[in-house]
């Protein structure tokens, strides 16, 4: 008899991720599933085996509060009250009287059809579905925990704490004393301290819905309780149109054709075009903020100006910068395709003297760069959008004209495996999680470009993951310490590179010598407890690396 072979935690976790994705794809093809059915239990068991860092104590008896905040910021308000959740394509709900609900941290249109049903529009591909189903699975696990703690075994009765919470939720308004008493009962239900509950209560509270946290916990428990006692099952469904359309680049093609029509209309297609995937403010601010705000910040450092512009209360300053940018050739294109990717086009030939922070290496109009900034894509959507954008532009008048793409630059947030929030990662290759697919490339940016700015800089391989909400320490430690030399993880790199390589090396729709730039700044360190995405945003920590990367990209463009 040979020795028994034991698997490592990294191998078990990899297997759990694989099972989750296979299950999700099967459920999508099938068209529906019930969270407490066989398929739903398979998803929950895989997630509990994986125990992703972002979901903290999901595998323990006590409730996971930071994970709950993270998930509900990415799902529509009121979803915890819905027995039926329907994932749909863009099926025209926008023309109905129903107002869309847009989650604060994930731009997607959601519609509360009635008291029991929430429809969520999927226009960004499979990554969007994986993201939503993973978050919903977490919610179902947490709701079951509540049910198990409030239901008295072998009866249909509930504990006293639940009755008190129910009374509090049903009151129109709570006094401070009533609120604190309700929170004490909630703390007992969730297995958490009153101090922890109070802190999370404040994070959930809004002006229009101050008792949101109490209501969320109540509805999570109520639906699980209802299912346990009456057998009334919750259900997730996928519309027939969504299943038919997914994977056909429908939204990406509409998006790309609209943009290319505007490029051709402005006669910019023959000029050197530089695509930058970034946010909708850093390039505009880097170009025009100093000139636009000379009276407000006459002696200020650029970083002080950028920090002021990122502050919520400075809408007037941002308006001044936008107005100057528009006078100097900026074209803003708000998305109408459903991709949720807005675009800015900067025609640098229209920039007036002393209105820009950068100088051109050429004075010839035909050689002056056109800077094309697109908002962040989401996962596989990166391939769909860039692949369509780099195809020849076909109209009734021509059989297909090429756009003169000189470079593609990707700036993004990523999880770092060594270092902390705000530090930089410069990839030399991307590898695709769960496969042997790897994409080495020549990066025009290097670590030396960013030395001497007070930030740690790491150069190496980046792993493109199927979903950031599925990562755990064991897999990440393996990637980091093995010969893969992984420095960080993100969701789009492979998908961008796949589209760039096919357009430049195979289809020849853009130059084979297209320049590629990738640089990421750390939004979190999933290997450090308390530093995951669920621990909160970057705040002003992200301002310095964002504008440093933007500056390096723009300097290379203007000096090319």
């Amino acid at each position: 008899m040979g020795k028994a072979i034991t698997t490592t935690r990294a191998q078990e976790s990899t297997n759990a991720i694989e099972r989750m994705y296979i299950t999700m794809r099967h459920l999508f093809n099938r068209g529906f599933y019930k969270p407490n059915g066989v398929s739903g239990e398979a998803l929950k068991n895989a997630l509990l085996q994986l125990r992703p860092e972002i979901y903290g104590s999901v595998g323990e008896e006590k409730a996971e509060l930071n994970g709950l905040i993270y998930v509900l910021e990415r799902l529509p308000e009121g979803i915890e009250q819905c027995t039926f959740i329907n994932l749909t394509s863009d099926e025209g709900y926008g023309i109905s009287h129903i107002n869309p609900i847009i989650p604060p941290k994930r731009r997607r249109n959601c519609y509360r059809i009635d008291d029991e049903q929430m429809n969520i529009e999927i226009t960004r591909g499979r990554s969007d579905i994986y993201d939503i189903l993973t978050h919903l699975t977490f919610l179902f696990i947490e709701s079951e925990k509540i049910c198990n703690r409030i239901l008295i075994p072998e009866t249909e009765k509930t504990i006293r704490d639940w009755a008190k919470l129910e009374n509090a939720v049903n009151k129109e308004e709570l006094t401070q004393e009533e609120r604190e008493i309700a929170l004490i009962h909630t703390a007992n239900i969730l297995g958490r301290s009153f101090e922890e509950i109070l802190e999370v209560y404040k994070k959930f509270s809004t002006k229009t819905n101050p008792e949101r946290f109490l209501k969320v916990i109540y509805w999570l428990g109520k639906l699980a309780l209802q299912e346990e006692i009456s057998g009334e099952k919750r259900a997730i469904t996928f519309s027939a149109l969504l299943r038919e359309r997914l994977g056909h680049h429908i939204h990406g093609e509409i998006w790309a054709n609209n943009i290319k029509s505007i490029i051709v209309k402005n006669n910019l297609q023959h000029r050197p075009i530089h695509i930058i995937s970034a946010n909708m403010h850093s390039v505009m601010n880097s170009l025009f903020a100093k000139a636009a705000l000379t009276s407000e910040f006459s002696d200020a450092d650029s970083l002080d100006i950028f920090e002021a512009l990122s502050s919520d209360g400075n809408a007037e300053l941002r308006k001044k910068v936008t107005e100057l940018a528009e006078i100097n050739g900026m074209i803003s294109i708000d998305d109408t395709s459903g991709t949720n990717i807005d675009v800015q086009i900067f025609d640098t030939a229209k920039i007036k003297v002393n209105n820009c922070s950068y100088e051109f290496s050429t004075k010839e109009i035909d050689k002056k760069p056109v800077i094309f900034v697109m908002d962040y894509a989401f996962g596989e959507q990166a391939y769909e959008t860039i692949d369509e954008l780099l195809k020849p532009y076909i109209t009734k008048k021509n059989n297909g004209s090429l756009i003169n793409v000189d470079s593609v630059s990707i700036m993004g947030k990523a999880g770092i495996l060594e270092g902390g929030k705000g530090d930089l990662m410069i990839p030399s290759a991307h590898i695709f999680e769960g496969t042997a697919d790897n994409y080495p490339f020549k990066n025009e940016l290097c670590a030396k470009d960013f030395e001497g700015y007070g930030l740690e800089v790491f150069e190496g391989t980046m792993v493109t993951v199927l979903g950031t909400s599925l990562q755990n320490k064991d897999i990440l430690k393996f990637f980091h310490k093995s010969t893969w030399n992984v420095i960080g993880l993100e969701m789009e790199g492979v998908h961008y590179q796949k589209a760039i390589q096919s357009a430049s090396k195979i289809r020849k729709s853009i130059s084979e010598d297209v320049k590629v730039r990738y640089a990421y700044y750390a939004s979190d360190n999933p290997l450090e407890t308390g530093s995951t995405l669920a621990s909160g945003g970057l705040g002003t920590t992200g301002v310095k690396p964002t504008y440093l990367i933007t500056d390096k990209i723009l300097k290379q463009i203007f000096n090319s």
Side-chain angles (χ1 to χ4, degrees), residues 260 391-402 509:
K260 284 186 275 193
K391 285 179 183 177
Y393 180 52
I394 299 167
T395 65
K396 290 177 182 177
K397 293 179 182 177
N398 65 37
N399 293 324
S401 59
L402 306 181
S509 58

Side-chain angles (χ1 to χ4, degrees), residues 7-52:
T7 54
T8 64
R9 267 292 295 153
Q11 288 168 326
E12 288 172 3
S13 302
T14 301
N15 180 256
I17 290 176
E18 192 176 352
R19 279 190 288 121
M20 280 201 78
Y21 277 96
I22 290 169
T23 305
M24 284 192 233
R25 286 207 169 201
H26 162 69
L27 297 177
F28 175 74
N29 290 330
R30 181 178 155 196
F32 75 96
Y33 78 98
K34 293 177 181 175
N36 270 9
V38 175
S39 301
E41 289 298 330
L43 281 180
K44 283 188 274 193
N45 290 338
L47 194 66
L48 288 169
Q49 183 181 7
L50 185 62
R51 296 194 298 279

Side-chain angles (χ1 to χ4, degrees), residues 371-409:
I371 300 171
F372 174 99
V373 182
M374 57 180 283
D375 208 346
Y376 296 119
F378 184 71
E380 289 183 22
Q381 187 191 33
Y383 175 73
E384 176 179 335
T385 48
I386 291 290
D387 183 56
E388 291 296 332
L389 186 65
L390 299 182
K391 285 179 183 177
Y393 180 52
I394 299 167
T395 65
K396 290 177 182 177
K397 293 179 182 177
N398 65 37
N399 293 324
S401 59
L402 306 181
I403 57 172
N404 182 22
V405 177
D406 201 61
S407 74
V408 182
S409 303

Side-chain angles (χ1 to χ4, degrees), residues 45-63:
N45 290 338
L47 194 66
L48 288 169
Q49 183 181 7
L50 185 62
R51 296 194 298 279
E53 300 312 306
I54 218 161
Y55 294 149
S57 58
V58 66
E60 298 174 27
E61 190 183 339
K62 63 184 178 183

Side-chain angles (χ1 to χ4, degrees), residues 195-468:
E195 190 178 13
E196 288 174 303
I197 294 295
L198 188 59
E199 190 181 331
V200 175
Y201 168 86
K202 289 172 184 172
K203 289 178 181 176
F204 270 95
S205 186
T206 63
K207 281 184 180 179
T208 55
N209 194 0
E211 313 304 337
R212 189 182 172 210
F213 175 66
L214 293 175
K215 290 174 184 175
V216 164
I217 300 304
Y218 170 71
W219 279 100
L220 284 175
K222 182 179 180 180
L223 292 190
L225 196 63
Q226 202 170 278
E227 198 160 332
E228 184 67 28
I229 294 171
S230 68
E232 194 176 321
K233 303 285 186 187
R234 289 168 285 185
I236 314 294
T237 56
F238 306 89
S239 78
L241 263 181
L242 175 64
R243 289 153 65 204
E244 182 186 311
R245 287 175 175 176
L246 195 73
H248 293 298
H249 291 201
I250 288 168
H251 300 285
E253 186 178 10
I254 296 167
W255 175 83
N257 284 340
N258 179 39
I259 287 157
K260 284 186 275 193
S261 71
I262 291 168
I263 289 173
V264 170
K265 184 182 174 183
N266 287 275
N267 200 28
L268 301 174
Q269 69 273 25
H270 304 301
R271 298 251 301 277
I273 294 173
H274 299 267
I275 298 168
I276 304 176
S277 171
N279 51 55
M280 287 287 98
H281 54 78
S282 60
V283 173
M284 179 178 69
N285 290 346
S286 295
L287 291 172
F288 301 111
K290 230 173 180 178
L293 304 174
T294 46
S295 57
E296 290 87 350
F297 298 93
S298 53
D299 300 317
D301 183 69
S302 293
L303 191 60
D304 295 331
I305 300 173
F306 299 144
E307 283 187 353
L309 285 166
S310 68
S311 174
D312 289 340
N314 286 331
E316 281 303 312
L317 296 182
R318 289 192 288 275
K319 188 181 175 186
K320 280 189 78 172
V321 178
T322 304
E323 285 171 353
L324 184 68
E326 286 170 346
I327 292 167
N328 285 272
M330 182 182 83
I331 304 166
S332 294
I333 308 170
D334 293 331
D335 178 63
T336 55
S337 67
T339 60
N340 282 312
I341 298 176
D342 297 334
V343 165
Q344 292 164 336
I345 297 173
F346 298 89
D347 180 357
T348 62
K350 292 183 178 177
I351 295 177
K352 299 173 178 67
V353 180
N354 298 326
N355 278 1
C356 178
S357 301
Y358 295 85
E359 292 183 4
F360 309 103
S361 60
T362 180
K363 291 190 177 178
E364 294 178 55
I365 297 289
D366 286 348
K367 291 185 180 176
K368 283 195 174 180
V370 174
I371 300 171
F372 174 99
V373 182
M374 57 180 283
D375 208 346
Y376 296 119
F378 184 71
E380 289 183 22
Q381 187 191 33
Y383 175 73
E384 176 179 335
T385 48
I386 291 290
D387 183 56
E388 291 296 332
L389 186 65
L390 299 182
K391 285 179 183 177
Y393 180 52
I394 299 167
T395 65
K396 290 177 182 177
K397 293 179 182 177
N398 65 37
N399 293 324
S401 59
L402 306 181
I403 57 172
N404 182 22
V405 177
D406 201 61
S407 74
V408 182
S409 303
I410 312 297
M411 176 183 79
K413 291 185 287 189
I416 199 166
L417 301 185
E418 190 180 331
K421 289 186 178 185
D423 288 337
L424 301 174
M425 290 157 279
I426 312 300
S428 53
H430 284 100
I431 59 176
F432 197 15
E433 179 187 50
T435 72
D437 297 353
N438 53 83
Y439 296 81
F441 56 90
K442 183 185 182 300
N443 195 342
E444 297 293 318
L445 298 170
C446 65
K448 281 186 180 178
D449 294 330
F450 299 94
E451 287 174 358
Y453 292 95
L455 296 170
E456 283 201 78
V457 189
F458 300 89
E459 200 162 8
T461 308
M462 298 281 286
V463 60
T464 297
V465 297
L466 295 162
T468 51

